[in-house]
Amino acid sequence: MSSRTVIRGGLVITASDEIHADVLIEDGRIAALAASGTPAAEAWTAERTIDATGKYVIPGGVDAHTHMELPFGGTFAADTFETGTRAAAWGGTTTIVDFAVQSVGHSLREGLDTWNAKADGKCAIDYGFHMIVSDVNSETLKEMDLLVEEGVTSFKQFMAYPGVFYSDDGQILRAMQRSAENGGLIMMHAENGIAIDVLVEQALARGETDPRYHGEVRKALLEAEATHRAIKLAQVAGAPLYVVHVSAMEAVAELARARDEGLNVFGETCPQYLFLSTDNLAEPDFEGSKYVCSTPLRPKEHQKYLWRGLRTNDLQVVSTDHCPFCFVGQKELGRGDFSKIPNGLPGVENRMDLLHQAVVDGHITRRRWIEIACATPARMFGLYPKKGTIAPGADADVVIYDPGAEQIMSAETHHMNVDYSAYEGKSVTGRVETVLSRGELVITEREFTGRAGHGVYTPRSTCQYLN
Ligand SMILES: NC(=O)NCCC(=O)O
Ligand SMILES: [Zn+2]
Ligand SMILES: [Zn+2]
């Protein structure tokens, strides 16, 4: 028996349109849109009606960069797939693409199986996987082809973290050549990790152990250099490139130059780089450790270049890089040695709200908000138009968003499994009210009504965003 829901009276916002429309949902999919108050819309009958008068009706967020349960620095990211996807739903995100990890000496398949087992039956919202490739060899390269066919169509490589996830230029070039053939997309952590390790050693030898030195040794120039090198390697390989967590204005300039040359080069930034800075890293009493991530937070003057990049489409996506570690017991591992602080910030619950605040502040338009947070990540990672838009045939992943609600971000009220908020005390205008995932209510007027296991693994096609 079919089940129907109608959402009435809201302003439907997609990456391309804003229209006062009613939305009909049937069997988990968007069935139709019709201008509110018209006979076509009034004729719809449904078991459930949601009144969205005065609210926005937007596609569920697509967060293309999360790390639930990531092993890092001798500990694990504190959100499980269960807690992290629940928190994502609270924040208006209905799809995540997390990173399965290949350990050195093991196959991609083993890594993928491990991550599938972690997520299976636990998620409140739909999810897919990228693959972190830590060990490029002839077997791994063959496996990449198989994974692309199966719907794991993107591969992260690291120019940072020697001895852990690091790939050298030859390994990167080989993986890029392979992706040029099989349609995969290489996602690059672009920092010169070899040079950074020298600077870390020198800083520690000088007794510079506080969290703020994390930002000082991971220099913007070393992000720019790696970004430039990754672009050139991709150009040699004839492969597209997606640079993750861009934070330095010099790296944005490298991306802009490459895009002006017509290259298929894309950039992602994260809310922490848009709203936080080295001032946070310098907070006393080891509080700065809460803001240790890589690439690092930059001085405030970088932010305007990131906002501009988002407006000019030199940056295409805002993801969270959600990788939470508690202050107590986890960030504290690096007291007396900043290089031992686990890298990562919580944020999966905050992204849609912070980007709405950016609309309120005049940095981006409402449609650009939806484009960078929903539609483009879906296109970039082969999920569109199933995800990322409100259109007939799309999954009914829909958020009723109250643009006038005021909230104060805090660890007291958030749902992420972490003992601090990176945005503690920040006032934002706008709040998620109701969330549907494939037509099921996951958040209902600020109550969690979803369940672990509702979210399903979602295979992806190859990148749909190429020139
Ligand atoms: N970004 C970060 O600090 N932690 C997560 C791992 C990564 O994305 O490099
Ligand atoms: Zn990274
Ligand atoms: Zn990451």
Side-chain angles (χ1 to χ4, degrees):
M1 212 179 58
S2 82
S3 79
R4 285 157 63 107
T5 298
V6 63
I7 303 171
R8 295 214 185 264
L11 178 67
V12 176
I13 309 172
T14 64
S16 54
D17 296 296
E18 297 187 6
I19 154 180
H20 285 282
D22 294 358
V23 180
L24 180 66
I25 295 169
E26 195 160 10
D27 295 332
R29 297 223 174 141
I30 308 291
L33 285 89
S36 300
T38 58
E42 298 288 317
W44 291 338
T45 54
E47 289 80 57
R48 185 195 294 137
T49 299
I50 298 173
D51 179 12
T53 309
K55 311 279 162 58
Y56 297 161
V57 179
I58 60 173
V62 177
D63 190 342
H65 190 153
T66 67
H67 299 282
M68 307 305 171
E69 308 179 34
L70 178 77
F72 194 103
T75 185
F76 288 84
D79 261 318
T80 62
F81 279 89
E82 180 166 352
T83 62
T85 58
R86 197 192 306 139
W90 273 103
T93 285
T94 51
T95 308
I96 60 163
V97 190
D98 202 270
F99 288 83
V101 180
Q102 177 205 23
S103 310
V104 177
H106 295 264
S107 64
L108 298 187
R109 174 71 54 203
E110 285 171 79
L112 190 57
D113 287 350
T114 305
W115 257 258
N116 265 316
K118 286 180 200 239
D120 187 31
K122 305 286 189 340
C123 295
I125 55 165
D126 291 351
Y127 61 97
F129 289 117
H130 315 285
M131 188 83 226
I132 288 179
V133 181
S134 317
D135 194 355
V136 177
N137 56 50
S138 54
E139 287 311 306
T140 316
L141 292 168
K142 279 188 225 143
E143 282 192 287
M144 284 173 74
D145 298 349
L146 298 176
L147 261 54
V148 169
E149 278 168 27
E150 287 175 26
V152 178
T153 55
S154 37
F155 302 90
K156 185 175 179 189
Q157 292 193 290
F158 289 76
M159 302 168 102
Y161 305 132
V164 190
F165 298 129
Y166 176 82
S167 291
D168 66 27
D169 289 355
Q171 292 170 314
I172 290 169
L173 182 64
R174 279 182 203 283
M176 285 176 166
Q177 288 170 329
R178 200 72 179 204
S179 73
E181 281 169 22
N182 65 26
L185 180 61
I186 297 292
M187 308 171 75
M188 190 59 70
H189 181 132
E191 288 187 291
N192 186 326
I194 302 281
I196 286 169
D197 273 7
V198 171
L199 298 179
V200 169
E201 197 184 305
Q202 292 170 345
L204 292 175
R206 285 193 296 269
E208 296 170 350
T209 60
D210 287 349
R212 72 189 166 97
Y213 294 107
H214 173 84
E216 293 195 7
V217 297
R218 303 189 87 92
K219 296 198 177 297
L221 283 180
L222 294 177
E223 182 186 341
E225 183 277 325
T227 304
H228 179 84
R229 188 157 33 101
I231 291 168
K232 291 300 161 200
L233 290 169
Q235 197 173 359
V236 168
L241 172 70
Y242 177 95
V243 182
V244 294
H245 48 51
V246 174
S247 65
M249 59 186 175
E250 295 89 341
V252 180
E254 294 292 345
L255 292 167
R257 194 173 309 126
R259 290 182 57 75
D260 285 350
E261 289 171 20
L263 298 177
N264 272 311
V265 169
F266 311 107
E268 161 202 277
T269 191
C270 311
Q272 52 269 36
Y273 306 120
L274 296 162
F275 289 93
L276 305 172
S277 73
T278 44
D279 293 353
N280 299 96
L281 266 178
E283 286 177 18
D285 302 325
F286 202 61
E287 288 285 306
S289 66
K290 295 176 175 174
Y291 305 95
V292 165
C293 58
S294 296
T295 61
L297 302 185
R298 302 291 180 197
K300 271 207 179 79
E301 61 259 30
H302 289 251
Q303 291 172 357
K304 61 176 178 290
Y305 295 92
L306 298 175
W307 287 120
R308 193 175 69 185
L310 286 170
R311 283 191 297 273
T312 58
N313 208 39
D314 287 319
L315 298 172
Q316 291 75 29
V317 172
V318 176
S319 309
T320 58
D321 195 5
H322 176 75
C323 190
F325 296 99
C326 289
F327 180 71
V328 176
Q330 293 193 297
K331 291 288 187 183
E332 282 180 330
L333 294 168
R335 269 192 201 275
D337 179 350
F338 68 83
S339 72
K340 296 202 165 64
I341 301 169
N343 284 200
L345 258 63
V348 77
E349 189 172 348
N350 306 128
R351 181 184 67 131
M352 296 299 283
D353 287 333
L354 287 167
L355 290 177
H356 181 259
Q357 184 60 40
V359 174
V360 173
D361 293 343
H363 290 298
I364 51 172
T365 64
R366 287 192 292 221
R367 276 175 276 169
R368 187 64 177 157
W369 169 42
I370 301 307
E371 191 163 31
I372 62 182
C374 311
T376 301
R379 282 203 171 100
M380 191 69 73
F381 297 108
L383 289 164
Y384 196 86
K386 185 176 166 67
K387 307 292 187 189
T389 192
I390 298 178
D395 282 357
D397 292 358
V398 181
V399 175
I400 316 298
Y401 196 82
D402 183 349
E406 301 290 336
Q407 59 164 314
I408 296 182
M409 291 183 167
S410 173
E412 301 278 304
T413 48
H414 76 200
H415 303 86
M416 298 175 284
N417 187 35
V418 60
D419 61 1
Y420 74 97
S421 168
Y423 306 97
E424 188 65 41
K426 183 172 176 59
S427 300
V428 294
T429 303
R431 197 173 64 175
V432 169
E433 191 174 280
T434 290
V435 177
L436 295 102
S437 162
R438 282 178 282 104
E440 302 262 315
L441 283 162
V442 181
I443 304 289
T444 310
E445 295 180 16
R446 309 261 342 128
E447 288 282 320
F448 181 72
T449 50
R451 64 181 170 84
H454 163 79
V456 293
Y457 172 69
T458 309
R460 300 177 290 111
S461 70
T462 53
C463 179
Q464 302 161 310
Y465 200 82
L466 302 178
N467 293 330

